[in-house]
Amino acid sequence: MADGNPHDRLFKGVFGDPRRGFAHLRGLLPARLAGALDPGTVRTVSGSYVDSRLRTRESDLLFQVQLAGSPMLVYLLFEHQSRADPRLLCRLQRYLARIWETWERQHPETVQLPPVVPCVLYHGPGAWPGPRRFREALAAPAAVLEQLGPYIPDFGVLLEDLSAVPDEKLKEQALTQLTLLVLKHAQEPDFASTLPRLKSLFVQAVLSDGWQAVCLVLEYCLTVGRDVTEQDLQVLFADSDLPEAQEAIMTLAEKWLQQGWEKGREEGWEKGRQEGRQEGREEGREEGRQEGRQEGQRLLLVRQLRLRFRRLPRAVVARIEAAGPAELERWSERILTARTLAEVMAD
């Protein structure tokens, strides 16, 4: 549970590898263009062109590649969307302009600009409802747009809508295929029931890309999946010949819980500061800090227990909501070592 958006961490962690990201994009490009690109020249261009206020929701990658047998460069702008955005084409137009502005600063002697192909991976709920060409985002009758055509900018987006692609069609290298399937399904309410059919892919991804890469996917499952527990992840490797699986998942879960605890304390402290500031008195600030910390502890404890033991009885939730700081601290310390919910909540 590192800082940032979980969609962003998985997207950049997997597709940020230039060979992996380019291999995926090449499969989406028109065949003639894909065949004309030289995979041996691909590199990732540093920096981001996404608006700073949107970086908690979207992320972008920019790849540079040469045409085969030519020094000419083509840029592939790869962005992900976890929700529908009717202004996507307007934003992409700004990103394209920023890429070309950067190019001009770096190549002041060059008059012509390199082509940039905007590509978007959409993994939000439902089908993509927005426009796919810039002209469709302009408020004018079609007849008028036709007359204005030679004088206004227009471009299309290479949109990969995961909701429109059957799971069996997502046939790629194991880690990429696994990432696409997890991005597609993780926000569904019964995602935990989907995980078992991905068992073989998880094992293949470990063998091909190692635990570090697969832990990005596992962390995403824990963070985004509403009903996914540590036990659900352990089951994925129960029948495999990967003896380090249990330790890797336990380490990941402990890290996730610890970082979640620290984040909960910080959020509680910030809530207390805000409440105290509203009170305008030192007593109010201190009371707000304490209540904010305890509320953050309660929320985080409930989430951690659901992660570890699935659904919680209402009586347990009610007991947590009524608990004081000493009880909350004691129960939180037991989460990583207790084998059952009863051991955590014991007096």
Side-chain angles (χ1 to χ4, degrees), residues 207-220:
L207 296 175
S208 62
D209 292 88
W211 277 108
Q212 184 175 359
V214 173
C215 277
L216 289 171
V217 184
L218 293 172
E219 181 183 7
Y220 184 81

Side-chain angles (χ1 to χ4, degrees), residues 11 15 21 24-29 78-81 88 118-124 126 128 132 157-165 169-172 176-177 180-181 183:
F11 174 77
F15 295 109
H24 180 67
L25 289 174
R26 196 177 189 186
L28 303 176
L29 293 169
F78 192 20
E79 182 181 352
H80 83 85
Q81 287 278 147
L88 172 66
C119 313
V120 173
L121 172 64
Y122 173 63
H123 54 98
W128 174 257
R132 298 183 181 223
V157 59
L158 188 62
L159 181 70
E160 183 180 18
D161 183 351
L162 291 184
S163 70
V165 183
K169 296 292 185 181
L170 296 173
K171 298 294 186 183
E172 301 198 43
T176 303
Q177 183 181 357
L180 293 174
L181 288 168
L183 284 170

Side-chain angles (χ1 to χ4, degrees), residues 10-184:
L10 181 60
F11 174 77
K12 284 196 168 181
V14 173
F15 295 109
D17 178 285
R19 290 174 299 177
R20 191 183 295 128
F22 176 70
H24 180 67
L25 289 174
R26 196 177 189 186
L28 303 176
L29 293 169
R32 291 184 62 183
L33 174 59
L37 300 177
D38 182 358
T41 64
V42 178
R43 72 176 183 88
T44 305
V45 180
S46 61
S48 175
Y49 298 89
V50 171
D51 292 333
S52 58
R53 63 187 178 83
L54 295 176
R55 285 180 190 156
T56 58
R57 298 208 314 259
E58 283 86 40
S59 178
D60 64 335
L61 293 165
L62 185 63
F63 299 104
Q64 171 186 295
V65 60
Q66 287 184 4
L67 287 176
S70 169
M72 177 182 173
L73 293 175
V74 175
Y75 285 85
L76 301 174
L77 175 63
F78 192 20
E79 182 181 352
H80 83 85
Q81 287 278 147
S82 58
R83 63 183 70 184
D85 182 359
R87 297 186 178 274
L88 172 66
L89 274 295
C90 296
R91 290 196 296 101
L92 287 175
Q93 191 273 336
R94 293 197 297 272
Y95 303 163
L96 296 175
R98 290 169 189 166
I99 293 170
W100 285 319
E101 288 169 1
T102 301
W103 170 268
E104 288 178 327
R105 287 196 299 269
Q106 296 173 347
H107 304 84
E109 75 290 350
T110 304
V111 176
Q112 290 186 306
L113 301 172
V116 183
V117 181
C119 313
V120 173
L121 172 64
Y122 173 63
H123 54 98
W128 174 257
R132 298 183 181 223
R133 296 200 62 84
F134 183 72
R135 181 179 295 190
E136 296 171 11
L138 302 179
V144 174
L145 290 175
E146 187 67 28
Q147 296 177 30
L148 293 175
Y151 315 109
I152 59 176
D154 188 27
F155 65 91
V157 59
L158 188 62
L159 181 70
E160 183 180 18
D161 183 351
L162 291 184
S163 70
V165 183
D167 289 1
E168 60 272 15
K169 296 292 185 181
L170 296 173
K171 298 294 186 183
E172 301 198 43
Q173 186 266 351
L175 181 63
T176 303
Q177 183 181 357
L178 180 63
T179 300
L180 293 174
L181 288 168
V182 166
L183 284 170
K184 179 178 179 180

Side-chain angles (χ1 to χ4, degrees), residues 181-182 185-195 198 221 225 227-228:
L181 288 168
V182 166
H185 294 292
Q187 298 181 73
E188 297 172 355
D190 57 346
F191 177 54
S193 64
T194 299
L195 282 174
L198 305 181
C221 293
D227 59 343
V228 175

